Amino acid sequence: MKLKAAIYCRLSKEDLDKEYEEQESQSIINQTMMLLDYVEKNGFELYDIYKDDDYSGLYDDRPGFEKLIHDAEARKFDVVISKSQSRFTRNIEHLEKYLHHDFPLWGIRFISLVDNVDTAVKGNKKSRQINALINEWYCEDLSESIRASFKIKQQKGQFLGSSAPYGYVKSPKDHHLLIPDPYAAGIVKRIFYMYLSGIGKNKIGCILTEEGVLIPSEYKRRVLHVNYHNANEKYGENSRWSFQTINTILKNEVYIGHLVQNKCVKQSYKTKGKKAVPEEKWIRVENTHEPIIDEQTFLRVQKMLAERHRETNIQILNEGLFARRLFCGDCGKPMTTYYTKRKKNGERHKCYICGEYKRFGNLYCTSHNIREDTLKEIILKDLQQQAEVILSIGSKGRIREFKCISDSENRAYKLKKLNEELEKIENYKTKVFENFADGLLNKSEYVKMKASYDNIEAKLRQSIHKCKVEQAEPGEKIDFVSWLENFSDNFNVKELTREMVLNLIDSIYIFKDDTVEVNYKFSIA
């Protein structure tokens, strides 16, 4: 019975003989032919051919490699054959994992031709490990050499990004030179001039979205046919221009003909993770390509951005009065706050508006706005009417249902919410770091915001620990009498409080026609 063989081929660099991006390199073809010849001459039965073109051998997240390992674990073949050990992997950790642990466990033999590797030969193991070490040294030296080469190119003002910034394309004559893309450059100019005319970043995004203008990542994929992926894209929102995209464009010096590079570097040649580079080590070269925006316009925009900037104050421990209770009656999304413009006497009002409308405009919903003082008045009046019925003589038997939460259930809910807030803060910290690495924040802004988030995170962790300790204690069900007393006490005050909202209200919906729907944690027969 013939042994089934799987062939693996890999090349980590683009070949000069590839005429098109989709074309398979000549080296991969040559490897395949060599290995097929070996399979035939040695009496193996070919199971399949696995290929990775333009993938580094340092990592194991290669599509062809991953499929090979998956099929190997399923015992679909008996032998893996590669041109050399370095084609299979250049990482000594992966060599040990697969060749010396997983493959023997799965009953699979590994053979490479040019360096005479064969896991069926016991005396072959030391030479395999030595080869792996040499391959890893080679990668380390190559990484340092490439990094030094990149730095020299950056200092010369050569663009090294994988894809050009929105508004530009790479010159077909020199891929290190940026040239304006007429259509996208026109959109960039519109963004700058709209902002100068007093239109805010959210509104600019809404205008472009309503006009059907493709966001940068979609434009690159669908119009420029670039294989581009933006890690910050959210599923289902890839057609909307976001506040962050507009902000990034307005702050990018590339549009006045300057290149700022070396903002972040790989942590190690063995990982894909990156770390931020201190601002003083960024490489900035002026007048490297044709500008889209004149410098005077750019500086005016930067001045406006600085004047309008206000530090975001995230008050997690002191939630708003209607937080987690107030929703849009039509789209169902949470309402968010905004403030009216100050009057001459300095007066301004806190209001609520549909969060979906505020971010994306009337293409997705309408404003549904309401002043907080108006809403408080409506809720308090309605609660007082409910109290008159509930607290009237003989009304106890008319209460059909009250969603009474026990101490333990309340603690579990509180712990869940604290963990959710902690996760949000950790995400905010990651985002702040990414903004710093991308040059959207300078060092002092980054340090200040990080310190603020660290402080909130520390308080949240303390609260979580305290909540876990309390959760270990037995809780008692709140009885009706105590709740009724509490209910009565609530209506001795004339001001709506956060405690009252949490204890008595399940949800509030604001509709397009200004109707306010209040859903209580109780209902009356």
Side-chain angles (χ1 to χ4, degrees), residues 148-371:
S149 174
F150 277 7
K151 188 165 286 189
I152 291 171
K153 289 181 177 181
Q154 288 171 340
Q155 289 168 346
K156 289 182 178 180
Q158 296 182 13
F159 178 74
L160 298 183
S162 57
S163 67
Y166 183 73
Y168 287 98
V169 292
K170 294 180 181 180
S171 168
K173 296 179 180 179
D174 179 2
H175 282 196
H176 298 306
L177 175 65
L178 297 176
I179 58 174
D181 170 29
Y183 172 79
I187 299 298
V188 170
K189 288 178 181 178
R190 279 191 68 197
I191 290 170
F192 273 86
Y193 295 141
M194 280 194 283
Y195 190 75
L196 281 176
S197 70
I199 302 174
K201 286 174 270 191
N202 267 325
K203 184 63 177 176
I204 293 172
C206 290
I207 291 171
L208 295 177
T209 300
E210 289 173 6
E211 291 179 1
V213 178
L214 293 176
I215 61 171
S217 55
E218 280 293 293
Y219 180 77
K220 290 180 182 182
R221 286 191 290 262
R222 291 166 60 178
V223 179
L224 301 180
H225 304 294
V226 175
N227 184 19
Y228 179 79
H229 172 68
N230 183 352
N232 294 320
E233 276 185 288
K234 292 182 179 179
Y235 178 76
E237 295 185 3
N238 59 347
S239 62
R240 303 172 180 177
W241 282 78
S242 68
F243 173 94
Q244 191 61 54
T245 300
I246 302 298
N247 187 61
T248 301
I249 289 173
L250 291 173
K251 289 185 174 183
N252 199 337
E253 287 186 64
V254 74
Y255 298 117
I256 54 173
H258 306 338
L259 279 182
V260 182
Q261 300 183 99
N262 197 48
K263 292 181 180 179
C264 55
V265 295
K266 290 180 68 174
Q267 293 175 332
S268 164
Y269 72 97
K270 295 179 72 173
T271 67
K272 294 184 179 181
K274 293 184 178 182
K275 62 180 180 181
V277 173
E279 191 172 348
E280 59 270 17
K281 292 186 179 181
W282 291 359
I283 298 176
R284 185 176 185 274
V285 184
E286 297 184 357
N287 305 315
T288 58
H289 55 274
E290 182 182 340
I292 292 175
I293 303 297
D294 64 87
E295 192 162 356
Q296 185 178 1
T297 299
F298 185 81
L299 292 175
R300 284 174 61 198
V301 166
Q302 302 318 299
K303 185 178 179 182
M304 286 179 65
L305 287 169
E307 289 171 352
R308 290 186 180 185
H309 174 73
R310 56 191 181 125
E311 186 178 339
T312 303
N313 182 21
I314 300 174
Q315 297 181 337
I316 287 175
L317 300 179
N318 298 309
E319 289 185 302
L321 180 62
F322 297 108
R324 296 185 283 115
R325 293 291 186 273
L326 189 60
F327 304 91
C328 170
D330 290 290
C331 72
K333 296 294 177 69
M335 303 281 280
T336 187
T337 57
Y338 77 97
Y339 289 86
T340 58
K341 292 183 179 179
R342 290 188 186 278
K343 297 180 180 180
K344 290 182 179 180
N345 61 3
E347 185 183 12
R348 64 190 308 210
H349 297 284
K350 183 178 181 180
C351 304
Y352 296 97
I353 190 170
C354 171
E356 195 79 348
Y357 171 82
K358 187 177 180 182
R359 288 186 65 196
F360 305 113
N362 57 18
L363 192 64
Y364 294 91
C365 200
T366 52
S367 63
H368 299 68
N369 61 310
I370 187 170
R371 278 174 43 171

